[in-house]
């Protein structure tokens, strides 16, 4: 077991916030590259800090092969996959970013994601097509790297991607837009261009130089020859969203079928920039004196809606442009029209009681949308 505490802190200075979080929660190292276990990933998306002092355990080739041999095929996936795998799995930094994208996207977006990977249009995704993801994220990352010691940044790239790269190798175009974009936007813009660039060719080099991971074996089999269809891809993504929501719900339910309205408020306000959460909680306590509880179905439906927040925002803006405040009935209708999700009257009432700070029983863009965008992206908007 290697701790590398001084190196950890030193390289942190050259890492972006997402890289820092990955490095804090990752627990495995193989041939210089860091990996998360499925347990690490769940911890990273449901907790502020690791539950234990982080050490990177070096895996032998034999240990890695054993882990991959025990990886179930995609058709055996479930909403308990990550919990069942626990410490028996390896997730790369690129895959960590990909999984984070999936957690914040509507189900309709899964088809878009699948079509982006399916570069030859045969309605199946193979391992080479999926590995284009590696190059897209690497190129994006190099554009936003922090300036400093080139040797340190090279060490950081080795930890995150498993191979040395040079910032000079990034293709640049004159007048290239430097506005930071989300990884989802990067996927949407870059994958469609993969066949017209060096990315697809580069994927061959990557597949021959990098080790397999749990996700690659899960999707494409132990020999990497299987192909992934949309139904299996969709089921994996839906199961992942459900699993993370189940874990968050169960952490508050204490074995009961519901969580309290106050606990629901705590979940919503996590990872946001709200400084005085106590005022929101006190506001809700005064206005919902009798606890009824939020069921898992209500909890899940709200986060399904939240993943459609962009479409809902358009509907909300239409109300704003018409100089209209939005009440509970209008809110519920706007959610359904924009996202197709039906929220229960009790859930809508609870949301209003949390965010309607001025207590006029109306919800404004300022009171709700900005805070929820932070929550949706778990603090990394």
């Amino acid at each position: 077991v290697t701790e590398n505490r001084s190196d950890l802190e030193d390289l942190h200075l050259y890492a972006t916030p997402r890289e820092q979080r990955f490095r804090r929660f990752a627990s495995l190292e193989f041939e210089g590259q860091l990996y998360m276990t499925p347990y690490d990933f769940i911890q990273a998306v449901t907790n502020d800090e690791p539950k234990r002092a982080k050490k990177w355990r070096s895996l032998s080739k034999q240990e890695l092969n054993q882990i991959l041999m025990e990886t179930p095929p995609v058709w055996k996936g479930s909403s308990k996959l990550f919990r069942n795998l626990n410490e028996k799995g390896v997730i790369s930094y690129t895959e960590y970013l990909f999984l984070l994208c999936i957690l914040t996207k509507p189900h309709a977006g899964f088809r878009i994601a699948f079509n982006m990977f399916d570069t030859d249009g045969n309605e199946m995704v193979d391992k080479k097509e999926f590995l284009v993801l590696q190059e897209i994220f690497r190129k994006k990352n190099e554009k936003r790297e922090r300036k400093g010691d080139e040797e340190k940044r090279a060490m950081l790239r080795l930890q995150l991607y498993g191979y040395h790269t040079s910032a000079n190798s990034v293709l640049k175009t004159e007048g290239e837009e430097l506005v930071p974009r989300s990884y989802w936007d990067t996927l949407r813009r870059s994958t469609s261009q993969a066949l017209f660039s060096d990315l697809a060719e580069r994927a061959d080099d990557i597949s021959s130089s990098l080790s397999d991971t749990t996700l690659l074996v899960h999707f494409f089999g132990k020999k990497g020859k299987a192909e992934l269809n949309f139904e299996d891809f969709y089921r994996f993504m839906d199961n992942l969203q459900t699993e993370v929501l189940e874990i968050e719900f169960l952490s508050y339910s204490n074995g009961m079928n519901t969580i309290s309205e106050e606990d629901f408020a705590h979940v919503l306000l996590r990872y946001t920039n709200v400084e005085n959460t106590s005022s929101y909680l006190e506001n809700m306590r005064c206005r919902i004196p009798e606890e009824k509880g939020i069921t898992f179905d209500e909890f899940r439906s709200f986060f399904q809606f939240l993943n459609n927040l962009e479409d809902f925002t358009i509907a909300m803006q239409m109300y704003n442009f018409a100089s209209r405040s939005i009440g509970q009935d209008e809110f519920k209708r706007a959610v359904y029209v924009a996202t197709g999700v039906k929220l229960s009257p009790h859930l809508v009432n609870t949301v209003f009681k949390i965010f309607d700070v001025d207590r006029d029983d109306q919800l404004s863009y300022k009171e709700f949308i900005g805070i929820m965008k932070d929550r949706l992206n778990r603090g990394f908007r």
Side-chain angles (χ1 to χ4, degrees), residues 43 58 60 67-68 90 118 121 131 144 155 161-163 171 180 199 215 230 272 282 313-314 324 363 370:
Q43 291 296 307
S58 293
S60 67
I67 287 174
L68 297 179
V90 289
D118 180 21
L131 282 174
R144 56 164 51 173
M155 289 172 61
Y161 298 103
Y163 50 89
L171 296 179
L199 295 181
L215 207 56
F230 176 69
T272 68
E282 184 59 33
T313 300
I314 296 172
R324 294 180 62 184
L363 209 59

Side-chain angles (χ1 to χ4, degrees), residues 269 272-283 354 357:
L269 294 171
T272 68
N273 291 326
V274 173
E275 293 181 1
N276 188 14
T277 59
S278 59
S279 64
Y280 286 89
L281 298 175
E282 184 59 33
N283 184 52
I354 296 170
V357 178

Side-chain angles (χ1 to χ4, degrees), residues 104-357:
T104 62
K105 291 301 153 193
H107 287 186
F110 296 170
R111 171 60 79 175
I112 297 171
F114 184 83
N115 288 343
M116 288 190 300
F117 290 125
D118 180 21
T119 53
D120 60 9
N122 70 347
E123 299 189 353
M124 303 286 283
V125 170
D126 60 28
K127 185 177 177 181
K128 176 183 173 182
E129 289 173 320
F130 189 78
L131 282 174
V132 171
L133 170 79
Q134 196 96 3
E135 267 303 274
I136 291 170
F137 281 174
R138 181 187 68 79
K139 283 176 175 286
K140 174 179 177 58
N141 210 58
E142 287 185 347
K143 291 176 186 175
R144 56 164 51 173
E145 277 182 342
R146 296 183 175 180
K147 302 299 180 185
D149 188 324
E150 176 59 32
E151 183 181 350
K152 297 289 187 185
R153 288 191 287 124
M155 289 172 61
L156 188 59
R157 289 185 214 120
L158 178 61
Q159 280 190 344
L160 297 175
Y161 298 103
Y163 50 89
H164 287 286
T165 61
S166 168
N168 295 328
S169 68
V170 181
L171 296 179
K172 289 183 171 63
T173 58
E174 189 175 348
E176 182 176 15
E177 187 178 7
L178 296 177
V179 178
R181 295 185 174 274
S182 72
Y183 284 96
W184 182 258
D185 285 339
T186 302
L187 272 175
R188 197 158 44 188
R189 290 164 63 88
S190 301
T191 314
S192 61
Q193 302 167 11
L195 292 180
F196 308 102
S197 71
D198 66 337
L199 295 181
E201 293 180 13
R202 180 77 179 149
D204 282 331
D205 297 334
I206 297 170
S207 61
S208 63
S209 63
L210 289 185
S211 301
D212 272 340
T213 63
T214 296
L215 207 56
L216 289 175
V217 172
H218 185 61
F219 284 162
F220 306 110
K222 294 177 175 61
K223 295 182 179 180
K225 302 296 184 183
E227 293 185 312
L228 184 65
N229 62 42
F230 176 69
E231 288 71 25
D232 287 336
F233 183 82
Y234 180 95
R235 189 164 51 249
F236 171 82
M237 301 307 161
D238 185 48
N239 282 337
L240 177 64
Q241 286 190 356
T242 300
E243 181 161 14
V244 171
L245 290 176
E246 280 180 355
I247 290 167
E248 290 190 299
F249 186 85
L250 291 171
S251 69
Y252 286 96
S253 68
N254 296 318
M256 305 294 286
N257 293 326
T258 62
I259 62 174
S260 70
E261 287 80 1
E262 184 173 340
D263 285 339
F264 179 65
H266 277 292
V267 175
L268 291 191
L269 294 171
R270 284 185 72 191
Y271 310 112
T272 68
N273 291 326
V274 173
E275 293 181 1
N276 188 14
T277 59
S278 59
S279 64
Y280 286 89
L281 298 175
E282 184 59 33
N283 184 52
M284 193 210 62
R285 289 190 204 104
C286 293
R287 303 183 71 194
I288 308 181
E290 293 187 12
E291 183 181 308
K292 180 180 177 181
I294 303 293
T295 66
F296 180 70
D297 285 341
E298 289 176 316
F299 185 83
R300 188 169 189 257
S301 70
F302 184 83
F303 283 95
Q304 285 177 335
F305 147 66
L306 211 57
N307 285 351
N308 287 273
L309 195 62
E310 289 181 12
D311 292 336
F312 175 75
T313 300
I314 296 172
M316 281 284 283
Q317 287 172 336
M318 291 176 67
Y319 280 112
N320 287 341
F321 294 151
S323 299
R324 294 180 62 184
S325 298
I326 189 166
Q328 292 194 26
D329 289 341
E330 292 166 319
F331 178 84
K332 192 162 60 171
R333 181 172 180 273
V335 170
Y336 181 68
V337 169
T339 70
V341 175
K342 288 186 176 181
L343 301 181
S344 72
H346 175 60
L347 184 65
V348 172
N349 182 56
T350 302
V351 169
F352 267 65
K353 295 302 185 282
I354 296 170
F355 292 101
D356 178 24
V357 178

Side-chain angles (χ1 to χ4, degrees), residues 71-82:
T71 301
V74 69
W75 54 270
K76 283 191 176 182
S78 74
S79 62
K80 290 183 170 55
L81 176 68
F82 280 58

Side-chain angles (χ1 to χ4, degrees), residues 28-47:
L28 299 176
E29 177 269 328
F30 177 72
E31 295 183 349
Q33 185 174 358
L34 298 182
Y35 294 93
M36 281 181 168
T37 66
Y39 174 85
D40 294 333
F41 176 78
I42 292 297
Q43 291 296 307
V45 297
T46 58
N47 290 289

Side-chain angles (χ1 to χ4, degrees), residues 5-32:
R5 183 57 53 194
S6 60
D7 288 345
L8 174 71
E9 293 172 353
D10 197 16
L11 289 183
H12 250 47
L13 299 174
Y14 301 93
T16 66
R18 280 203 189 276
E19 292 169 349
Q20 289 173 358
R21 190 166 186 83
F22 179 82
R23 296 175 81 251
R24 274 206 313 275
F25 282 86
S27 62
L28 299 176
E29 177 269 328
F30 177 72
E31 295 183 349

